[in-house]
């Protein structure tokens, strides 16, 4: 791994701030589209016209011409000018960050993540996990990982199942419909149990895939599809995942522009990898080695720069019980076989 130049780290912090403000200021002025009119007799009717992800154009009826509608049109025009300036600033920062050596997400993955972000998945508590999250952690911590540790075609999303949030404009998000609107050819991947709904979506003849995951609430749910009503989908229930997403941080996905997502706390991610590496079957030795490599890199950085984060994560893990502590320690012993230089943080 290589440290990203300090100037680029500073630009990343600025980008994250800009994305956070942009997200907080989402309004009609930030919508990509504009007003159009239709005349019927002596009356003029206003519609808002916009493009769905994938290019499909849609119109939403606003109302008959009136002082209030005209005020709304003018307000949109003013806000659109500000939104355009905001987008250009974000794109400028992303270009500088890319030039400075930060990790860049592939265009296909970025399109998917932007569609999910625009649909509100991350505003509603969804967390990006897996190797895409690990790549984003590198930029957040100021390091560029070697390619072997971050190459993946999967996008792993963990929506929050129990939502406690007021949604003034939409109460639910349909992940499958969001992916369909991209027109990339996503199809549900059949499950082993044909009566169960799919929890994964894949693009035909390509490696791009989206896996929807959720924490298992009881042992009987482990590795089985469960309903996530707020997202109109099923998700694969995984043990240990609740520990991973219990603490998350906003992060910037970098491509042509920036995308605001949530990713797990890096210290928890490292300890979680130690545990899940022990759960891998013998047919997934490659994934196990990647788990341990990612854990080793994060532990090495955090031990030097943020040791308190590791201590807090380890204390939280130990509260889960003796079996959690034992599995983490066994995972660390495995890690030392491949990366003996890794500091011991499980004292």
């Amino acid at each position: 791994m290589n440290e990203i130049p300090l100037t680029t780290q500073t630009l990343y912090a600025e980008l994250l701030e800009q994305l956070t403000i942009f997200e907080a200021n989402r309004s009609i002025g930030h919508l990509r589209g504009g007003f159009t009119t239709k005349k019927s007799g002596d009356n003029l009717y206003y519609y808002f016209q916009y493009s769905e992800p994938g290019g499909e154009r849609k119109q939403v009826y606003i109302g008959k011409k009136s002082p209030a509608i005209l005020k709304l049109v003018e307000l949109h025009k003013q806000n659109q000018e500000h939104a355009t300036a905001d987008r250009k600033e974000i794109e400028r920062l992303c270009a500088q960050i890319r030039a400075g050596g930060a990790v860049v997400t592939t265009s296909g993955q970025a399109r998917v993540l932007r569609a999910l972000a625009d649909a509100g998945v991350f505003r509603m508590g969804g967390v990006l996990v897996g190797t895409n999250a690990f790549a984003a952690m590198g930029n957040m911590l100021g390091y560029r990982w070697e390619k072997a540790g971050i190459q993946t075609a999967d996008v792993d999303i963990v929506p929050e199942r129990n939502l406690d949030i007021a949604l003034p404009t939409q109460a639910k998000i349909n992940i499958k419909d969001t992916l369909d609107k991209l027109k990339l050819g996503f199809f549900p991947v059949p499950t082993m149990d044909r009566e169960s709904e799919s929890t994964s979506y894949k693009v035909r003849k390509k490696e791009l895939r989206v896996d929807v995951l959720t924490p298992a609430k009881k042992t009987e749910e482990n590795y089985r599809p469960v309903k996530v009503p707020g997202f109109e989908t099923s998700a694969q229930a995984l043990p240990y995942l609740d520990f991973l997403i219990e603490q998350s941080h906003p992060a910037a996905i970098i491509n042509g522009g920036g995308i605001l997502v949530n990713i797990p706390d890096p210290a928890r991610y490292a300890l979680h990898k130690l545990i899940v590496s022990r759960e891998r079957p013998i047919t997934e030795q490659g994934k196990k080695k990647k788990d341990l490599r990612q854990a080793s890199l994060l532990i090495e950085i955090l031990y030097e720069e943020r040791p308190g984060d590791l201590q807090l994560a380890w204390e939280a893990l130990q509260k889960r019980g003796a079996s959690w502590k034992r599995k983490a320690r066994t995972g660390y012993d495995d890690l030392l076989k491949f990366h003996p230089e890794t500091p011991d943080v499980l004292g």
Side-chain angles (χ1 to χ4, degrees):
M1 62 181 173
N2 297 308
E3 188 169 5
I4 295 172
L6 183 58
T7 53
T8 304
Q9 295 182 43
T10 303
L11 288 169
Y12 174 86
E14 186 179 346
L15 171 65
L16 187 58
E17 181 179 357
Q18 289 284 341
L19 287 172
T20 302
I21 294 172
F22 188 87
E23 187 68 27
N25 289 338
R26 273 184 182 267
S27 66
I28 190 169
H30 285 69
L31 296 176
R32 293 181 182 271
F35 287 94
T36 186
T37 59
K38 295 181 182 180
K39 193 169 184 180
S40 178
D42 294 331
N43 295 317
L44 193 65
Y45 297 91
Y46 277 79
Y47 294 78
F48 189 79
Q49 185 170 281
Y50 64 98
S51 295
E52 292 275 12
E56 182 182 355
R57 299 185 70 82
K58 288 197 172 183
Q59 288 186 344
V60 178
Y61 175 67
I62 302 298
K64 186 169 70 173
K65 181 180 178 180
S66 68
I69 294 294
L70 292 175
K71 185 176 180 179
L72 178 64
V73 172
E74 181 59 28
L75 181 62
H76 173 265
K77 181 180 178 181
Q78 295 173 6
N79 287 343
Q80 191 73 28
E81 292 174 355
H82 292 301
T84 299
D86 291 343
R87 288 192 183 96
K88 287 184 177 179
E89 175 62 13
I90 288 170
E91 289 169 359
R92 182 187 69 82
L93 286 170
C94 286
Q96 290 179 296
I97 292 168
R98 290 197 309 273
V103 177
V104 178
T105 301
T106 65
S107 58
Q109 293 170 347
R111 283 187 66 187
V112 172
L113 290 172
R114 185 173 298 284
L116 294 172
D118 288 346
V121 169
F122 300 109
R123 290 198 302 276
M124 292 180 67
V127 181
L128 177 66
V129 298
T131 298
N132 279 282
F134 177 71
M137 282 176 204
N139 291 335
M140 184 171 70
L141 294 170
Y143 288 87
R144 182 179 179 86
W145 313 123
E146 69 262 22
K147 288 185 179 180
I150 59 174
Q151 284 181 334
T152 182
D154 295 353
V155 175
D156 297 334
I157 300 293
V158 183
E160 174 58 57
R161 246 203 290 178
N162 300 317
L163 297 174
D164 185 18
I165 185 171
L167 299 173
T169 57
Q170 60 182 151
K172 293 184 178 181
I173 296 170
N174 191 311
I175 288 182
K176 183 180 182 301
D177 283 354
T178 299
L179 296 176
D180 285 345
K181 289 173 183 176
L182 285 170
K183 296 184 178 179
L184 292 175
F186 275 105
F187 70 94
V189 179
T191 61
M192 296 294 290
D193 179 1
R194 295 194 176 186
E195 295 184 0
S196 298
E197 291 188 24
S198 174
T199 63
S200 298
Y201 303 90
K202 193 176 186 307
V203 174
R204 287 182 172 84
K205 298 182 180 180
K206 293 186 179 180
E207 294 183 352
L208 185 59
R209 172 178 175 137
V210 175
D211 294 321
V212 187
L213 315 172
T214 195
K217 301 295 184 181
K218 50 189 177 182
T219 305
E220 303 87 81
E221 287 186 352
N222 287 354
Y223 306 106
R224 298 184 62 83
V226 297
K227 276 285 189 183
V228 187
F231 289 84
E232 295 290 290
T233 188
S234 288
Q236 186 182 32
L238 298 180
Y240 314 114
L241 197 58
D242 55 340
F243 170 79
L244 178 64
I245 66 171
E246 192 173 55
Q247 287 189 4
S248 63
H249 303 282
I253 296 296
I254 299 165
N255 189 259
I259 307 164
L260 188 67
V261 301
N262 302 316
I263 62 173
D265 175 73
R268 287 190 177 230
Y269 186 96
L271 299 186
H272 178 262
K273 284 298 181 183
L274 295 180
I275 291 179
V276 299
S277 68
R278 297 295 304 166
E279 303 290 305
R280 299 284 190 190
I282 194 169
T283 54
E284 295 186 356
Q285 280 297 102
K287 290 185 178 181
K288 176 178 179 176
K289 289 180 179 179
K290 188 163 75 170
D291 289 338
L292 297 175
R293 180 55 178 161
Q294 291 182 1
S296 174
L297 289 168
L298 286 173
I299 289 173
E300 183 180 341
I301 291 170
L302 295 173
Y303 182 80
E304 292 294 332
E305 300 181 9
R306 302 184 63 90
D309 292 4
L310 286 169
Q311 182 178 350
L312 290 174
W314 178 233
E315 289 173 358
L317 185 144
Q318 290 182 90
K319 291 178 182 178
R320 300 299 178 112
S323 66
W324 281 64
K325 182 178 179 180
R326 183 176 62 254
K327 289 177 180 179
R329 169 55 70 178
T330 304
Y332 177 75
D333 290 341
D334 286 345
L335 183 153
L336 289 180
K337 297 174 185 176
F338 300 100
H339 311 289
E341 74 286 354
T342 308
D344 185 359
V345 295
L346 308 185

